Amino acid sequence: MYQVIDVDLGAQSYPIYIGQNCYVERDILARHIHGRQVMIVTQEKIAQHYLPALQKALVDYHCDVCYVPDGEAHKNLQEWQNIIDALLHSDHERSTTIIALGGGMIGDLAGFAAACYLRGVKYLQIPTTLIAQVDAAIGGKTAVNHVLGKNLVGIFYQPQCVIADINTLMTLSQRDYVSGLAEVIKYALICDARFFVWLEENMPALLARESSALLYAIDTSARIKARIVEQDEKEQGLRSLLNLGHTFGHALETAATYSDIRHGEAVGVGLLIATQLSADLGWLAVVDAERVKNLLAAAGFKRQLFPLPEASEWLRLMRHDKKTQDGKLNLILLKKIGEAVMTSEVREEQVKQVLGPECRM
Ligand code: GLY
């Protein structure tokens, strides 16, 4: 059983399937794979759990597998090259289909390889982490990291479909699973106050990975993402709101050289900073800032989750973010719960203050 959300992008439109056991539904796979060749890009750890069943469902195709090492630190041009090499060595033609089976790192890397191989081949997203199911796999952002910053080399390239199967979330470590909740909370904060209330009431069920709560949270998040991407595929305006907490968070990931820190954890801390700054500016009511902090704390996000860089270093790293324009930091902040805005008007001194140890959080 699954539900379907359509992402309406004209000729690049595609469905998001959300359900249980749907990643091995032969009908779905056949609907989106048109040639005879398939290259599954995945990781050993994920393959252990999910590859045999997927290969069984793909028995009618010529199926190769390319393994990528675990960890965001490997989302780089070297691993992109390895995927291209694997495709070439196995004689994959233009009609091939790449399947990204894994978390956001696999989706970004495999999607970028699909965009470039023979000037573009089709690819499917089968996200196996919460963060990828609600965010990374939807919307066609593909990229690799550069030592100077996250996702600095990439392209918008939409998949044929996204298959989000909540059964694949059951083998995630609690740390990996919980980190995905940061992106779920983000959707509520940017545009859905009712969803925020639902999250306040249902966080224990989500932490326990209860199916009905998970299906509702993923469906609501994916719908919000789909509607935003439909209006602003290439992030010229509205889509930037999805980066709430990310400018602060990406800098943390760069500082940690992408190891020992999950993307969702960095976003969770970024959401806390964005909330505090919004309150300091007098935009977000103090009582609402407290609610946001409480919800983030209930999901396990706190400022002291990992060692933070010094405020001036943190700010320096933020300047490399893609949202920087004309040398000015573009920040996404909150006007209220359910309403985010982009601004380039906040003084760096004010930002530095909220990044420093004297900030009360
Ligand atoms: N992860 C933010 C976006 O897809 O735009």
Side-chain angles (χ1 to χ4, degrees):
M1 279 302 294
Y2 54 83
Q3 54 223 49
V4 185
I5 298 169
D6 288 309
V7 186
D8 185 358
L9 288 169
Q12 272 74 53
S13 297
Y14 56 94
I16 303 167
Y17 302 96
I18 301 170
Q20 291 184 275
N21 252 335
C22 50
Y23 85 103
V24 287
E25 285 264 356
R26 290 182 189 210
D27 284 356
I28 296 181
L29 295 166
R31 217 172 290 154
H32 301 287
I33 302 174
H34 302 299
R36 301 317 315 157
Q37 293 176 307
V38 171
M39 173 67 81
I40 301 173
V41 178
T42 191
Q43 285 160 333
E44 297 275 4
K45 204 166 77 180
I46 294 157
Q48 244 176 24
H49 297 292
Y50 307 112
L51 186 61
L54 181 59
Q55 281 176 315
K56 201 167 158 209
L58 292 169
V59 70
D60 295 334
Y61 301 87
H62 174 88
C63 201
D64 292 306
V65 183
C66 175
Y67 290 97
V68 175
D70 198 11
E72 182 75 19
H74 295 284
K75 199 176 90 175
N76 56 27
L77 281 170
Q78 181 56 54
E79 292 306 326
W80 171 87
Q81 173 81 56
N82 289 342
I83 299 171
I84 300 292
D85 289 351
L87 288 160
L88 286 170
H89 286 133
S90 302
D91 298 318
H92 278 253
E93 300 173 355
R94 267 203 168 142
S95 58
T96 192
T97 301
I98 295 178
I99 298 184
L101 175 69
M105 177 261 188
I106 287 288
D108 282 12
L109 196 53
F112 190 40
C116 301
Y117 185 64
L118 306 181
R119 297 208 175 94
V121 298
K122 295 185 183 345
Y123 77 111
L124 272 53
Q125 289 274 17
I126 305 185
T128 59
T129 60
L130 179 60
I131 203 159
Q133 293 191 355
V134 297
D135 187 34
I138 306 165
K141 275 190 179 175
T142 74
V144 293
N145 300 326
H146 188 278
V147 280
L148 288 182
K150 200 175 150 72
N151 295 332
L152 292 184
V153 185
I155 188 167
F156 290 96
Y157 191 65
Q158 301 296 338
Q160 297 302 297
C161 73
V162 179
I163 309 174
D165 189 325
I166 64 162
N167 286 3
T168 65
L169 304 181
M170 302 307 157
T171 48
L172 281 178
S173 70
Q174 191 65 0
R175 184 176 175 192
D176 284 324
Y177 172 74
V178 165
S179 74
L181 292 172
E183 298 282 6
V184 175
I185 295 170
K186 173 195 81 176
Y187 288 113
L189 289 175
I190 59 177
C191 63
D192 195 337
R194 278 175 50 193
F195 186 36
F196 187 88
V197 173
W198 184 90
L199 287 170
E200 287 180 314
E201 287 163 1
N202 289 278
M203 191 48 74
L206 273 183
L207 287 170
R209 307 185 206 191
E210 280 178 21
S211 302
S212 58
L214 256 177
L215 286 169
Y216 180 80
I218 295 170
D219 182 82
T220 306
S221 303
R223 267 176 215 283
I224 294 173
K225 174 105 191 222
R227 297 300 84 88
I228 290 176
V229 169
E230 283 168 354
Q231 293 173 70
D232 181 22
E233 183 189 356
K234 301 276 168 73
E235 199 170 302
Q236 300 301 300
L238 183 68
R239 186 167 177 170
S240 313
L241 300 184
L242 293 174
N243 294 316
L244 178 67
H246 283 60
T247 303
F248 301 107
H250 282 169
L252 293 175
E253 289 178 89
T254 305
T257 54
Y258 310 113
S259 53
D260 288 339
I261 168 171
R262 305 290 192 270
H263 174 64
E265 292 171 340
V267 170
V269 174
L271 291 176
L272 275 169
I273 305 285
T275 300
Q276 184 63 52
L277 185 54
S278 305
D280 288 352
L281 291 166
W283 293 5
L284 182 67
V286 173
V287 50
D288 284 341
E290 282 308 312
R291 281 176 70 197
V292 179
K293 286 187 219 169
N294 288 341
L295 182 62
L296 286 164
F301 299 106
K302 51 180 194 280
R303 195 179 161 115
Q304 306 76 15
L305 211 51
F306 38 76
L308 298 174
E310 242 197 277
S312 49
E313 172 63 1
W314 196 343
L315 199 56
R316 186 188 71 75
L317 291 167
M318 283 167 61
R319 291 200 196 94
H320 279 293
D321 197 82
K322 292 183 294 310
K323 271 82 69 190
T324 305
Q325 219 172 15
D326 302 328
K328 275 191 165 181
L329 273 182
N330 272 328
L331 294 174
I332 316 299
L333 297 176
L334 293 170
K335 285 282 185 188
K336 55 184 183 191
I337 291 174
E339 187 184 334
V341 287
M342 180 155 82
T343 177
S344 54
E345 299 310 318
V346 185
R347 284 183 296 109
E348 286 206 357
E349 265 321 298
Q350 247 167 328
V351 180
K352 212 166 159 186
Q353 210 171 8
V354 83
L355 299 179
E358 65 279 5
C359 171
R360 61 201 183 290
M361 273 173 81

